[in-house]
């Protein structure tokens, strides 16, 4: 499934956001964005490292288990993703994976850092922290080849490195306050990791325990 939105006033402060997306039949993808979707806060979202966000359908079942009284809210597209694909999730998608989706070639660059708009979207306090702690963040793509993705297109894994970390493993490292220098350096040095994350983890490693 594919989803997109244009920014509208959202939340108690009316800040522009595109988290409330609607199903679309296609996404016209460029190296820095799409025709159909637009970010509300371009300082924190979008750009060449965050062109598309994918979220696992499996993760919505986790929400339903923990927040059963809100089950009707947990439907694909509702957390603000652009793409859902059955069978792809935070435990089998790795940093650096390259996928062909229709005409488009994309590469996994980083997890999504959950923000409080997720909590506001579902009206569940601290849901963003829950997403982070359970390593069900979804992931961002950079674009290697532009074109159009259409509903029903084949998704093919073109390249992967089994020595890289899955999205869940990466987030477990990030969330581990006792992570060693070695572990943080390993994560920071993943070849295709978003440079922002490389810098963040490298700085953190300087102050981490050596063993």
């Amino acid at each position: 499934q594919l989803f997109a939105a244009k920014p509208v006033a959202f939340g108690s402060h009316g800040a522009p956001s595109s988290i409330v997306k609607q199903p679309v039949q296609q996404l016209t993808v460029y190296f820095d964005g799409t025709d159909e979707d637009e970010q509300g806060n371009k300082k924190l979202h979008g750009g060449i490292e965050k062109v598309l966000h994918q979220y696992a359908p499996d993760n919505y079942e986790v929400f339903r288990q923990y927040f059963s009284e809100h089950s009707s809210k947990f439907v694909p597209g509702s957390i603000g993703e652009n793409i859902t694909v059955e069978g792809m999730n935070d435990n089998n998608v790795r940093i650096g994976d390259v996928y062909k989706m229709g005409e488009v070639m994309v590469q996994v660059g980083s997890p999504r850092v959950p923000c409080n708009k997720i909590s506001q979207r579902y009206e569940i306090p601290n849901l963003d922290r829950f997403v982070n702690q359970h390593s069900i963040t979804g992931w961002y793509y950079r674009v290697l080849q532009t074109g159009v993705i259409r509903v029903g297109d084949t998704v093919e894994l073109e390249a992967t490195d089994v020595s890289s970390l899955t999205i869940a493993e990466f987030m477990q490292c990030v969330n581990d306050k006792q992570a060693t220098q070695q572990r943080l350096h390993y994560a920071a040095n993943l070849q295709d990791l978003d440079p922002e994350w490389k810098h963040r983890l490298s700085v953190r490693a300087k102050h981490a325990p050596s063993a």
Side-chain angles (χ1 to χ4, degrees):
Q1 292 178 279
L2 302 174
F3 305 92
K6 299 295 184 180
V8 297
F10 178 81
S12 58
H13 298 292
S17 175
S18 300
I19 194 171
V20 182
K21 298 191 188 299
Q22 299 299 323
V24 295
Q25 290 302 303
Q26 69 176 48
L27 291 171
T28 309
V29 181
Y30 306 100
F31 291 116
D32 60 353
T34 74
D35 282 341
E36 294 79 8
D37 191 62
E38 184 179 336
Q39 293 78 29
N41 183 342
K42 294 188 177 182
K43 290 183 179 181
L44 300 176
H45 304 287
I48 61 173
E49 292 292 335
K50 302 172 184 175
V51 178
L52 297 166
H53 174 231
Q54 184 167 334
Y55 202 68
D58 300 348
N59 294 347
Y60 287 109
E61 185 56 38
V62 178
F63 291 143
R64 294 186 193 104
Q65 291 174 5
Y66 281 87
F67 306 99
S68 58
E69 67 275 20
H70 296 276
S71 289
S72 62
K73 298 179 181 180
F74 300 126
V75 296
S78 60
I79 207 166
E81 72 268 40
N82 301 113
I83 303 169
T84 64
V85 179
E86 291 291 340
M88 294 176 67
N89 59 57
D90 301 73
N91 291 301
N92 61 24
V93 171
R94 298 178 181 276
I95 300 293
D97 280 357
V98 175
Y99 290 92
K100 183 78 179 295
M101 298 183 176
E103 302 171 357
V104 178
M105 195 86 73
V106 292
Q107 183 176 46
V108 180
S110 68
R112 173 193 184 179
V113 178
C115 67
N116 62 7
K117 283 188 172 63
I118 292 173
S119 304
Q120 296 175 43
R121 174 75 173 89
Y122 296 106
E123 299 180 298
I124 301 174
N126 299 319
L127 184 62
D128 53 326
R129 296 182 187 177
F130 177 91
V131 169
N132 185 50
Q133 291 165 356
H134 285 75
S135 303
I136 51 173
T137 62
W139 54 93
Y140 283 121
Y141 289 116
R142 63 176 67 94
V143 176
L144 304 181
Q145 177 178 303
T146 63
V148 178
I149 305 173
R150 296 177 176 86
V151 172
D153 279 344
T154 300
V155 177
E156 299 177 359
L157 177 62
E158 296 288 316
T160 189
D161 180 355
V162 294
S163 69
S164 186
L165 299 178
T166 67
I167 296 299
E169 289 169 341
F170 185 86
M171 287 307 299
Q172 287 158 11
C173 175
V174 170
N175 290 329
D176 182 1
K177 295 181 180 179
Q178 303 303 317
T180 63
Q181 288 181 355
Q182 182 180 12
R183 189 180 181 196
L184 291 168
H185 278 308
Y186 188 89
N189 290 325
L190 294 176
Q191 182 174 353
D192 299 303
L193 182 64
D194 180 337
E196 182 180 342
W197 274 105
K198 285 180 176 289
H199 174 72
R200 187 183 306 179
L201 292 177
S202 295
V203 170
R204 181 178 161 192
K206 294 178 181 178
H207 307 285
S210 58

